[in-house]
Amino acid sequence: MGSAPAAISRGGWKLREQMEADERRVLAPFAQKSGDSRGRKYRESSHAYRTEFQRDRARIIHSRAFRRLEYKTQVFLNGTGDHLRTRLTHSIEVASISRTIARSLSLNEDLAETIALAHDLGHSPFGHSGEEMLAECMREHGGFEHNRQSLRVVELLENAYPNFDGLNLTFEVREGLRKRQAFYDPPTPEEEKYRCPSLEAQIANLADEITYYSHDLDDALDFEILSGPQLEEDAVWQRSHRAVLRRYPEAREPELHKLIIRDIIDVEVHDVVTTSAQSIVDVGVQSADEVRKQQSPLIRYSDDLLAANRELRRFLYQNVYYHPRVAEVNRRACEMLRKVFETYVVDPDRLGETAAKRIEAEGLHRTVCDYVAGMTDRYLMEEYARITAL
Ligand code: MG
């Protein structure tokens, strides 16, 4: 009783086969097991003591695109405050929340975490304003969208292997990054029938929202563009504020708003876990593939919270994302982005050697777009300074 079968464990350390057996024993029937992965585009032999999704997580964490997230803006221009979120800390928070939800629903934590860590790899410098500007620059050339770009990063732009482009990630991780986009490589007819990704991918998707709702409020308070009384207009904030004061009647700033943010995350995660557990039971899915054939996601908020979150999102757009102190800085940064983009189009010799090699297959504009999208905020500003100093 309790000891691992001799064939799949060796002298006190665990083999991959044992981990795969553990997943089958512990995870729900509708979880995506790593042993059932559809695998990778380029065949590779399996690892002795890591599952396929653990390997993918390592490939993402060790990628250059992942390290660059540290110097990319989330909402507030990178470098304007030491405590403000960056794309990197955002991604880590999304991963943490994803793991919590996945574990609670007996789903595959490794997969949910891996998708969360990779979900923003394709983000351009300067946050959403940068994305809009890049889309504008690419209007006549196929557009730009960060989800699609995250897939391009892992399928094409990262070069870690001598015999193929990209990171050669499993189908399940790429599926999680795909959102509503087509695969860079055309899917098989079977994959075309899927309407939803795995539950683990659906978790990473909602965890992303929960994370930015809460940390954008937190950062906006830190950056002093939101005030307490203003926040009282929002129902999600108001409810958590009251709950905190019931528990800690003496709570005052600077702790008070942190307690409120924590409560908001807790309320959102609790709601998603309980609502999703019920929706999974109601539909009665028995496998990861049955999940993929559902008309709509099973990981979801309750109707009440969905409505409250829509209001919160409206509140954030009105009071944070379009606030002059945010929008004006981002607008100036975006003008730099446009100038750098246009300079490369006119003078592609300025692109690095690796990027220049892609012009023939990908076209000039797409190659420039990939190059600029991959830049950190500070690299783009330095490049702008070099260009304008000419
Ligand atoms: Mg995100």
Side-chain angles (χ1 to χ4, degrees):
M1 276 288 285
S3 64
I8 50 177
S9 79
R10 259 183 212 158
W13 57 282
K14 227 186 221 186
L15 292 176
R16 173 184 46 81
E17 289 91 332
Q18 174 68 55
M19 295 178 197
E20 289 175 357
D22 288 351
E23 284 185 1
R24 290 188 202 285
R25 192 170 44 81
V26 170
L27 300 184
F30 38 80
Q32 174 63 56
K33 319 302 188 287
S34 60
D36 295 339
S37 169
R38 281 173 177 72
R40 308 172 188 280
K41 184 177 173 193
Y42 304 98
R43 261 188 87 82
E44 295 181 42
S45 45
S46 9
H47 196 272
Y49 51 86
R50 290 188 303 160
T51 67
E52 296 302 329
F53 301 146
Q54 288 168 0
R55 291 174 90 182
D56 282 0
R57 178 179 56 206
R59 288 175 192 206
I60 287 156
I61 290 175
H62 292 273
S63 71
R64 297 180 76 176
F66 186 74
R67 289 197 293 282
R68 288 199 299 262
L69 295 178
E70 184 174 2
Y71 302 104
K72 288 192 177 198
T73 288
Q74 180 66 27
V75 172
F76 301 90
L77 195 69
N78 194 273
T80 47
D82 285 354
H83 300 136
L84 299 172
R85 268 72 171 186
T86 66
R87 282 270 158 224
L88 180 66
T89 62
H90 162 73
S91 300
I92 294 170
E93 289 184 30
V94 177
S96 168
I97 290 178
S98 296
R99 286 187 63 130
T100 301
I101 299 173
R103 183 175 296 196
S104 167
L105 293 172
S106 301
L107 295 169
N108 197 321
E109 276 179 71
D110 290 332
L111 177 59
E113 179 184 21
T114 303
I115 296 167
L117 290 172
H119 86 283
D120 269 353
L121 287 178
H123 246 297
S124 58
F126 308 138
H128 285 284
S129 326
E131 178 173 13
E132 281 167 24
M133 179 55 86
L134 211 42
E136 171 75 25
C137 294
M138 289 296 287
R139 193 204 289 267
E140 309 286 312
H141 307 277
F144 175 81
E145 197 272 333
H146 79 268
N147 290 314
R148 194 169 68 170
Q149 191 68 13
S150 294
L151 209 53
R152 275 180 79 76
V153 168
V154 302
E155 293 187 342
L156 179 74
L157 299 174
E158 278 291 318
N159 28 37
Y161 299 93
N163 41 350
F164 49 75
D165 291 326
L167 299 174
N168 200 29
L169 302 180
T170 55
F171 165 84
E172 291 73 18
V173 173
R174 292 184 299 121
E175 167 199 55
L177 298 180
R178 182 167 63 153
K179 304 272 169 96
R180 283 163 294 277
Q181 306 295 333
F183 277 108
Y184 184 69
D185 299 310
T188 64
E190 189 195 0
E191 288 160 13
E192 200 71 88
K193 274 186 264 157
Y194 296 150
R195 292 171 178 278
C196 289
S198 66
L199 294 172
E200 288 81 358
Q202 296 177 28
I203 286 175
N205 202 12
L206 276 205
D208 183 25
E209 269 185 41
I210 294 173
T211 308
Y212 72 68
Y213 288 150
S214 56
H215 72 37
D216 290 350
L217 288 170
D218 196 19
D219 282 358
L221 277 161
D222 213 25
F223 206 58
E224 296 176 340
I225 61 171
L226 275 183
S227 63
Q230 221 179 343
L231 280 158
E232 287 305 311
E233 294 165 20
D234 180 71
V236 172
W237 180 274
Q238 204 182 71
R239 183 172 63 178
S240 285
H241 190 180
R242 288 190 189 143
V244 166
L245 288 180
R246 277 197 298 276
R247 258 174 286 147
Y248 304 100
E250 306 298 315
R252 296 289 177 270
E253 292 299 352
E255 289 80 25
L256 179 61
H257 80 265
K258 293 179 198 156
L259 291 164
I260 298 171
I261 300 286
R262 277 171 54 182
D263 191 78
I264 290 174
I265 297 175
D266 198 44
V267 166
E268 301 262 347
V269 169
H270 186 86
D271 181 276
V272 168
V273 167
T274 52
T275 309
S276 306
Q278 191 58 50
S279 69
I280 292 166
V281 169
D282 290 347
V283 171
V285 283
Q286 288 303 319
S287 71
D289 248 27
E290 281 179 39
V291 168
R292 293 185 170 93
K293 289 171 186 158
Q294 296 299 306
Q295 296 291 328
S296 51
L298 297 173
I299 302 296
R300 55 172 80 134
Y301 304 112
S302 64
D303 292 343
D304 284 353
L305 190 62
L306 181 67
N309 281 344
R310 284 204 183 115
E311 280 303 304
L312 173 56
R313 185 199 293 250
R314 209 174 48 80
F315 177 88
L316 285 166
Y317 268 93
Q318 239 168 35
N319 300 294
V320 179
Y321 307 145
Y322 292 137
H323 188 282
R325 274 184 66 203
V326 175
E328 176 55 22
V329 173
N330 286 339
R331 194 192 58 73
R332 275 183 282 141
C334 285
E335 281 309 316
M336 293 186 211
L337 190 153
R338 183 206 287 274
K339 173 78 182 162
V340 169
F341 185 97
E342 288 170 351
T343 305
Y344 285 131
V345 170
V346 175
D347 184 7
D349 287 346
R350 300 183 73 94
L351 294 166
E353 197 187 328
T354 318
K357 273 193 218 148
R358 279 196 298 268
I359 295 177
E360 199 179 314
E362 303 293 323
L364 175 60
H365 281 80
R366 182 57 60 194
T367 303
V368 170
C369 178
D370 288 337
Y371 194 64
V372 172
M375 289 182 180
T376 62
D377 293 12
R378 64 179 188 181
Y379 185 80
L380 196 143
M381 287 192 254
E382 285 164 15
E383 191 65 349
Y384 176 81
R386 279 192 286 273
I387 285 169
T388 49
L390 294 177

